[in-house]
Amino acid sequence: SLSRTKPCNDCPLVSLCYISVCNVTIVDMLVLSFFSWWYGQGWKQAFSSIGPRVSGITEAFSVGQLLKTLFAPWKRITTNPGSSIEQKVRAMIDNLVSRAIGFCVRIGVLIAAGISIVAVIILSVAQIILWPLAPIGVILLPLIGLMA
């Protein structure tokens, strides 16, 4: 059962600080729950979020569609060949230029998608490496700032 003990005056969470369960305050339980989640399930979630992030980038850039249409004409601009040889050659050149432009644009977008995927993977790995240090940083960085 909950019992009220003497409030501590130096705590900003006065209303929570003096509600006690078996001599353990709610603030103590919140802190313990936070660290239990942070170094357990939270770390696992940070690791498992890499796949959905990469998948989101591939969907945002439509990588599958770009690969399927890599050599397709740009904006489907094509020239129908006429009846003479000169018109057929001109149509072939126009269609080749349209396909070359489409290829260049799609390759550029695929390169941007690749760079984005690599950046997300690097930042996600950095997040996983720095994850256990973040609570320590919350405590140490203000102290370092006060000392400077």
Side-chain angles (χ1 to χ4, degrees):
S1 71
L2 294 177
S3 65
R4 293 193 180 261
T5 59
K6 189 176 177 184
C8 60
N9 295 326
D10 57 336
C11 180
L13 301 171
V14 173
S15 62
L16 290 177
C17 188
Y18 67 95
I19 297 174
S20 173
V21 179
C22 299
N23 294 328
V24 177
T25 64
I26 291 177
V27 173
D28 294 336
M29 289 187 291
L30 287 173
V31 169
L32 182 62
S33 293
F34 167 76
F35 283 109
S36 172
W37 174 84
W38 187 266
Y39 290 106
Q41 193 64 25
W43 207 354
K44 289 177 188 174
Q45 288 173 358
F47 183 75
S48 65
S49 69
I50 296 174
R53 288 178 189 167
V54 171
S55 177
I57 290 174
T58 58
E59 288 178 25
F61 281 94
S62 300
V63 172
Q65 187 69 23
L66 289 172
L67 290 172
K68 288 178 188 176
T69 62
L70 191 59
F71 295 103
W74 176 242
K75 294 189 177 186
R76 297 186 203 164
I77 299 173
T78 57
T79 305
N80 292 327
S83 57
S84 71
I85 298 243
E86 182 181 326
Q87 290 174 338
K88 289 180 181 180
V89 170
R90 181 176 299 268
M92 184 181 71
I93 292 172
D94 288 347
N95 291 339
L96 282 174
V97 168
S98 180
R99 288 179 187 275
I101 291 171
F103 176 79
C104 291
V105 170
R106 289 180 184 97
I107 284 291
V109 173
L110 286 171
I111 289 170
I115 291 170
S116 298
I117 289 170
V118 168
V120 162
I121 290 172
I122 289 171
L123 292 174
S124 295
V125 168
Q127 176 192 11
I128 290 169
I129 291 170
L130 296 175
W131 186 269
L133 304 176
I136 298 166
V138 168
I139 296 167
L140 289 181
L141 290 177
L143 292 175
I144 292 171
L146 289 173
M147 292 175 159

